[in-house]
């Protein structure tokens, strides 16, 4: 289905009201292929919008938004230990997680209640509570925008990293994810090492549903429900800096929260950096730093994209001034 000059307010979790020139949504991949062949305006910019949970519309978008609404989750292969499950790009991510929990398959439960769609899970390599989508992605099925050919990428070929993949680099703007096949375990195996989880979930009596419920309660405590308060979850990525620099920071700021990362680097909790500067509850225009989690910027109700950008820039400059660290948005600006 195609609409012109369409409001995007209900398609981004920030709840920013902006207009897009062309909005195309589809329920099956053939519809997408036919659109790409016949109606797609190659002269305009375009963007593939899943659940709109990681995007900031800074102004009206003079281009095409492609929005998958394809559905379907099925088991495609099963062994004694594993199951391969294919899910369509337009499935809501959390519906997929609930499906895995209902079917007794292990691996997706820590990623409960993350807003967005299945199609975004490999692009962004979504992650929470010590798990990332890359840990369970088996392969990603895509459609070429250029010639509509089908391509399947293995997990290794996706070059996954922290909130990063090949779909943000070499393949950006070239392919649309049509479905993702996940490899899930049939034997109980939980990952409950992440800080606050231990206080909420008892490992001895853990079940998939209990872990899911525990994660949901932890998330609800800190993160705003997009149905009530507009936001895009974490606004900034946790910066990764050389470990030597992190050591110097630790001496100066003993409370700084850090995590070891690869190759002599250290990940810093951006939420802590922002919080330490007293930003919780700070507002610019209609944009506000969430009171319970400083990494999250929210829409008080009538924020414009520009309000959010101003708030983000202000925070970035203050963090840079104090800690000499540049915090990069996780959210994509359009
Ligand atoms: N912290 C503060 N003040 C704050 C926020 C955090 O001091 O206002 C401290 C916390 O006390 C904690 C540390 O910073 O020691 C980290 O905070 P938290 O555990 O809340 O996690 P995070 O690093 O802020 C990341 C992900 C979230 C994910 C959580 C849980 C990123 C950018 N964010 O947040 O992902 O849910 O871990 O695993 O990696 C998202 O990407 O949208 C998202 C919500």
């Amino acid at each position: 289905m195609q609409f012109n000059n369409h409001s995007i307010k209900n398609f981004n979790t920030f709840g920013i009201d902006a207009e897009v020139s062309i909005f195309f949504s589809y329920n099956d991949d053939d519809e997408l292929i036919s659109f790409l062949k016949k109606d797609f305006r190659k002269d305009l910019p375009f963007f593939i919008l899943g659940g709109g949970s990681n995007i900031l519309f800074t102004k009206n978008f003079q281009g095409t938004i492609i929005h998958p609404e394809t559905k379907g989750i099925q088991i495609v292969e099963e062994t004694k230990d594993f199951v391969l499950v294919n899910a369509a790009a337009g499935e809501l991510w959390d519906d997929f997680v609930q499906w895995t929990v209902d079917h007794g398959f292990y691996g997706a439960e820590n990623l409960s209640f993350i807003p967005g769609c299945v199609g975004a899970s490999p692009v962004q390599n979504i992650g929470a509570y010590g798990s990332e989508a890359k840990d369970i992605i088996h392969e990603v099925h895509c459609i070429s925008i250029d010639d509509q050919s089908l391509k399947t990428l293995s997990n290794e070929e996706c070059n996954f990293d922290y909130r990063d993949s090949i779909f943000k680099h070499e393949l950006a703007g070239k392919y649309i994810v049509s479905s993702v096949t996940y490899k899930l375990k049939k034997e109980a195996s939980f990952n409950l090492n992440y800080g606050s989880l231990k206080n909420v979930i008892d490992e001895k009596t853990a079940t998939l549903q209990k872990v899911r419920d525990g994660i949901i309660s932890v998330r609800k405590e800190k993160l705003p429900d997009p149905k009530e308060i507009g936001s895009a979850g974490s606004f900034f990525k946790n910066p990764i800096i050389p470990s030597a620099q992190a050591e110097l920071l630790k001496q100066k700021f003993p409370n700084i929260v850090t995590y070891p990362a690869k190759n002599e680097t250290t990940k810093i909790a951006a939420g802590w950096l922002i919080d330490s500067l007293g930003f919780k509850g700070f507002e610019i225009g209609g944009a506000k730093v969430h009171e319970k989690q400083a990494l999250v910027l929210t829409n008080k109700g009538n924020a414009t994209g520009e309000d959010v950008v101003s708030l983000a820039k202000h925070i970035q400059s203050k963090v840079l001034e104090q800690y000499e660290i540049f915090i990069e948005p996780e959210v994509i600006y359009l």
Side-chain angles (χ1 to χ4, degrees), residues 270-281:
W272 185 92
L273 298 176
I274 300 167
D275 191 5
S276 71
L277 296 170
F279 271 122
K280 274 184 182 155

Side-chain angles (χ1 to χ4, degrees), residues 6-8 17-21 57-63 334:
H6 191 60
S7 164
I8 206 74
D17 198 3
E19 213 173 74
V20 301
S21 323
F57 284 92
T58 57
K59 50 183 178 297
N60 288 342
F61 182 66
Q62 317 283 347
L334 267 195

